[in-house]
Amino acid sequence: MPDLPFLPFCVLLGGLGLLCVAFVGAWCQHWRGGFSLDGSARTFNWHPVLMVTGMVVLYGAAALIYRLPPARRGPKLPWKVVHGALALAAFILAVLGLAAVFRFHNAHGTPNMYSLHSWLGLVTVLLFSCQWVAGFSAFLLPWAPNWLRAFYKPIHVFFGATVLMLSVASCVSGINEKLFFSLKNGTTEYKLLPAEAVFANTLGLLIILFGVLVLGALARPSWKRPDTDSPESHQPLLTAER
Amino acid sequence: MPDLPFLPFCVLLGGLGLLCVAFVGAWCQHWRGGFSLDGSARTFNWHPVLMVTGMVVLYGAAALIYRLPPARRGPKLPWKVVHGALALAAFILAVLGLAAVFRFHNAHGTPNMYSLHSWLGLVTVLLFSCQWVAGFSAFLLPWAPNWLRAFYKPIHVFFGATVLMLSVASCVSGINEKLFFSLKNGTTEYKLLPAEAVFANTLGLLIILFGVLVLGALARPSWKRPDTDSPESHQPLLTAER
């Protein structure tokens, strides 16, 4: 199989990620009334924007950080910090995104956590938070023994990919659900496929494409950082040694 | 990382797959009125049952066939045939499942192919059909050269996992959508989380768990069939040699 150059792929993927954020922002701004913090439907609009930006785009960037050519050689520690920081930023956006939907529901007396979308979304964010804490504890704190790191690394990698898949599935079910809500009693029903429906369905497909490309990049053997056993590659964050 | 024994895992996974089929069948039979071919909502009920059985459970079985201990050694050809046959059975069930929903829509004058669920589902089945034809042509017909097989194999493996992920995402969005339709004007609304909603949401989580476990099993290096370059491992189906 011919070896793809990583950087053009990375530029394409970055463009696709920005397109996802632009699409979800434009959907909420143009068709759903924009943004506010007053508990109205405009508060809800933060939910899709923050979840797509955090749990898909920033998360994808965090997952791929070790595939950047400068990260494939030399000290691993700075890239670990960037990886953890991007994942933390993704997590913070996700929590804010959850706060937006809870605030909207509570302001309208709508029950929380009843749909399959909400169950899946919460499972995804909870799994991600466990993943972040476990990753930080094992790979950045100094007291985790090397055998634990070696044991946990494939689990961390596997659940990293799993959380991305669950995020994408959550986004798809959420967009689908929102369109059924929004277009049910609007000027044009979803089933008549108005421009908003085409636009938001396209957003869903773009998110899926982004997720599949990230998973494909993660799976490419030639883009992986060589798994050296040098002490440096096990360098924790909080240690005096360097 | 300790090596899990494959067979107990396989029994667990098989039980989970059967549970998914039992859950989707029970949902449609007990809460959605059962099955018929008359174009009514009972015709629609074939759709979730056939899609879950075909695109998730049978598909997962097809994906994992090379991980069975007897398939990891000895002639590959019989296992290729079983893999292709299971995938074909999954494809036939998926086509019948699509036929059920189109028949239901057409009988009720409901437009087809407007929701994100339908777009994603159709993309998934189309990708799966391309995957099946390409896999059959490259790995079972005698005229595909070895360089083409070697080139296409990682692509086939990657898209195999991708189609499973897309199937699971389609099922989740479909169950979510169906519950919004069914419980909107029923005796109990979805947001009040009646027993049917808990049951079908649980079905969604079981399908996700099944998909994640299949992908985890596919990713385990120790369960992979050694990638020998013996002529037998490239044995096509339609050849006189043996």
Side-chain angles (χ1 to χ4, degrees), chain B residues 148-232:
Chain B
L148 180 66
R149 288 194 184 134
F151 173 82
Y152 175 55
K153 191 177 165 188
I155 300 173
H156 185 78
V157 168
F158 176 70
F159 276 98
T162 300
V163 167
L164 180 62
M165 288 185 272
L166 299 184
S167 295
V168 169
S170 303
C171 289
V172 167
S173 57
I175 293 167
N176 205 49
E177 172 177 319
K178 181 65 185 168
L179 286 169
F180 274 106
F181 275 130
S182 304
L183 301 177
K184 189 174 57 179
N185 298 315
T187 48
T188 323
E189 282 201 339
Y190 193 6
K191 65 174 66 167
L192 300 178
L193 208 60
E196 177 181 351
V198 174
F199 190 85
N201 283 1
T202 305
L203 164 65
L205 296 187
L206 289 175
I207 290 170
I208 290 165
L209 183 62
F210 181 87
V212 168
L213 289 179
V214 170
L215 293 170
L218 289 176
R220 270 190 94 78
S222 61
W223 288 351
K224 287 184 185 165
R225 183 187 158 97
D227 201 7
T228 56
D229 284 313
S230 68
E232 209 293 324

Side-chain angles (χ1 to χ4, degrees), chain B residues 8-240:
Chain B
F9 171 85
C10 203
V11 170
L12 171 81
L13 194 67
L16 183 59
L18 289 177
L19 197 63
C20 289
V21 174
F23 258 63
V24 70
W27 177 30
C28 294
Q29 180 65 45
H30 181 68
W31 276 290
R32 297 283 113 231
F35 303 89
S36 82
L37 297 173
D38 59 3
S40 70
R42 296 188 300 144
T43 300
F44 171 87
N45 287 346
W46 286 109
H47 176 67
V49 171
L50 290 169
M51 297 325 263
V52 169
T53 308
M55 291 299 292
V56 178
V57 180
L58 271 185
Y59 186 98
L64 285 181
I65 205 76
Y66 296 117
R67 269 64 177 175
L68 286 171
R72 280 182 235 165
R73 51 186 179 270
K76 194 172 185 180
L77 183 59
W79 301 102
K80 280 191 187 185
V81 174
V82 176
H83 175 77
L86 278 172
L88 184 62
F91 180 72
I92 291 168
L93 293 196
V95 170
L96 293 174
L98 290 184
V101 70
F102 279 101
R103 172 146 168 67
F104 167 68
H105 282 172
N106 294 342
H108 288 77
T110 305
N112 292 299
M113 300 303 308
Y114 63 89
S115 76
L116 178 55
H117 161 69
S118 68
W119 287 24
L120 172 57
L122 198 70
V123 165
T124 307
V125 174
L126 287 177
L127 206 57
F128 181 33
S129 61
C130 296
Q131 168 89 346
W132 195 90
V133 170
F136 181 79
S137 308
F139 301 122
L140 284 173
L141 293 184
W143 46 79
N146 281 346
W147 68 262
L148 180 66
R149 288 194 184 134
F151 173 82
Y152 175 55
K153 191 177 165 188
I155 300 173
H156 185 78
V157 168
F158 176 70
F159 276 98
T162 300
V163 167
L164 180 62
M165 288 185 272
L166 299 184
S167 295
V168 169
S170 303
C171 289
V172 167
S173 57
I175 293 167
N176 205 49
E177 172 177 319
K178 181 65 185 168
L179 286 169
F180 274 106
F181 275 130
S182 304
L183 301 177
K184 189 174 57 179
N185 298 315
T187 48
T188 323
E189 282 201 339
Y190 193 6
K191 65 174 66 167
L192 300 178
L193 208 60
E196 177 181 351
V198 174
F199 190 85
N201 283 1
T202 305
L203 164 65
L205 296 187
L206 289 175
I207 290 170
I208 290 165
L209 183 62
F210 181 87
V212 168
L213 289 179
V214 170
L215 293 170
L218 289 176
R220 270 190 94 78
S222 61
W223 288 351
K224 287 184 185 165
R225 183 187 158 97
D227 201 7
T228 56
D229 284 313
S230 68
E232 209 293 324
S233 74
H234 291 261
Q235 179 79 40
L237 177 64
L238 304 178
T239 178

Side-chain angles (χ1 to χ4, degrees), chain A residues 1-2 111 114-117 119-120 151 154-155 158 165-166 176-177 180-181 190-191 193 201 208 212 215-216, chain B residues 1-2 111 114-117 119-120 151 154-155 158 165-166 176-177 180-181 190-191 193 201 208 215-216:
Chain A
M1 203 170 165
Y114 63 89
S115 76
L116 177 54
H117 162 69
W119 286 25
L120 172 57
F151 173 81
I155 300 173
F158 176 69
M165 288 185 272
L166 299 184
N176 204 51
E177 171 177 319
F180 273 107
F181 276 130
Y190 195 5
K191 64 175 64 166
L193 208 60
N201 282 2
I208 290 165
V212 168
L215 294 170
Chain B
M1 206 171 163
Y114 63 89
S115 76
L116 178 55
H117 161 69
W119 287 24
L120 172 57
F151 173 82
I155 300 173
F158 176 70
M165 288 185 272
L166 299 184
N176 205 49
E177 172 177 319
F180 274 106
F181 275 130
Y190 193 6
K191 65 174 66 167
L193 208 60
N201 283 1
I208 290 165
L215 293 170

Side-chain angles (χ1 to χ4, degrees), chain A residues 44-115:
Chain A
F44 171 86
N45 287 346
W46 286 109
H47 176 67
V49 171
L50 290 169
M51 298 323 262
V52 169
T53 308
M55 292 299 292
V56 178
V57 180
L58 272 184
Y59 187 98
L64 285 181
I65 206 75
Y66 296 117
R67 268 65 178 175
L68 285 171
R72 280 183 234 165
R73 51 186 179 271
K76 194 172 186 180
L77 182 59
W79 301 102
K80 280 190 186 185
V81 174
V82 176
H83 175 77
L86 278 172
L88 185 61
F91 180 72
I92 291 169
L93 293 195
V95 170
L96 293 174
L98 290 183
V101 68
F102 279 100
R103 171 145 169 68
F104 167 69
H105 281 172
N106 294 342
H108 290 75
T110 305
N112 291 299
M113 298 305 307
Y114 63 89
S115 76

